Amino acid sequence: MGEFFVSNHPLIQNKMAMLRNKNTCTKEFKEIISEVAMLLCYEATRHIELVPAKVETPIAEADVNVINRGFAIVPILRAGMGMLDGLLTLMPTAKVGFIGLYRDPETLKPVEYYCKLPNGIENMEVFVTDPMLATGGTAVAGIDFIKEKGAKKITFLCILAAPDGVKKLREAHPDVDIYAAAYDEKLNDHGYIVPGLGDAGDRIFGTK
Ligand code: URA
């Protein structure tokens, strides 16, 4: 079973207080989402495998350890885009893919409207971003598409997770690690996380 990691880092908790505050403006909100994503990425990459190598320092040859596998970052559109810069800060050579999903009003099932993933994703370690793991429907569908393209090692990064979303994602994709900055109590009748931080996409892009 994949890991479900909820951060207890003081820097993340302090930033979560600012994200939750309804008076935090769009500019600050966007910057803080990016910072929290970067800090979570630091946690989520702790287990990455290293291989021994040698480099020449100005003085002598040194034994070093390096990462020699490719990374892909796949934001789920549109709110997942808010986390992209934070991850790219720590993994600047990562390839970036995008998945867009909407909910069919009749079947209520997520339908893919855009999917562009990097070539060779099957050999990469993939980090999927979506700030809110609420019902879990989008995360499960997004990861379904990424697995269909052959990806094997997938980590899901979110800012806030709710019990329903974590349960659904872990049932559908037990091999996927989940990293969250905070874990909230429940969803309300509209599917919003409580106490949450509101509509992440609207707050990142200033659309409300
Ligand atoms: N999506 C959001 O943006 N916010 C929630 O609380 C739940 C889903």
Side-chain angles (χ1 to χ4, degrees):
M1 178 64 92
E3 190 175 359
F4 173 42
F5 174 95
V6 181
S7 175
N8 61 3
H9 196 292
L11 286 177
I12 290 188
Q13 293 193 38
N14 191 59
K15 289 179 194 300
M16 285 307 301
M18 296 188 253
L19 288 179
R20 289 183 190 280
N21 187 335
K22 66 178 183 185
N23 296 319
T24 298
C25 69
T26 300
K27 176 177 182 291
E28 274 180 318
F29 190 87
K30 198 184 326 166
E31 287 168 359
I32 300 164
I33 286 275
S34 194
E35 290 164 4
V36 174
M38 183 184 71
L39 293 166
L40 264 188
C41 178
Y42 179 77
E43 300 283 10
T45 48
R46 193 174 279 282
H47 312 297
I48 281 170
E49 210 178 299
L50 293 167
V51 294
K54 290 190 189 295
V55 294
E56 290 287 334
T57 79
I59 312 295
E61 188 179 73
D63 292 319
V64 292
N65 292 306
V66 295
I67 297 170
N68 83 340
R69 84 177 293 194
F71 298 132
I73 305 168
V74 183
I76 297 183
L77 300 177
R78 78 186 155 146
M81 284 290 295
M83 298 171 71
L84 177 59
D85 280 356
L87 270 68
L88 279 173
T89 303
L90 296 190
M91 302 189 293
T93 60
K95 309 289 185 224
V96 180
F98 300 94
I99 290 192
L101 300 163
Y102 71 92
R103 189 173 290 272
D104 184 297
E106 274 163 29
T107 64
L108 297 182
K109 293 223 164 74
V111 180
E112 171 196 330
Y113 67 84
Y114 186 78
C115 183
K116 179 83 185 155
L117 298 174
N119 288 336
I121 197 166
E122 60 277 10
N123 299 314
M124 296 177 187
E125 180 138 359
V126 182
F127 295 87
V128 180
T129 64
D130 192 352
M132 309 300 272
L133 181 56
T135 61
T138 310
V140 168
I143 291 171
D144 284 342
F145 288 119
I146 295 168
K147 283 190 174 172
E148 272 170 29
K149 306 279 176 191
K152 289 164 207 84
K153 178 75 186 91
I154 300 171
T155 301
F156 183 82
L157 299 185
C158 59
I159 303 294
L160 260 185
D164 297 33
V166 172
K167 183 166 179 285
K168 186 159 183 165
L169 182 51
R170 278 166 85 72
E171 277 170 8
H173 296 293
D175 55 314
V176 168
D177 292 327
I178 304 171
Y179 279 73
Y183 184 52
D184 275 9
E185 207 184 302
K186 59 179 183 191
L187 301 180
N188 68 15
D189 294 343
H190 305 286
Y192 280 89
I193 298 178
V194 181
L197 50 73
D199 188 303
D202 281 341
R203 295 196 66 191
I204 290 167
F205 296 110
T207 39
K208 230 181 215 165

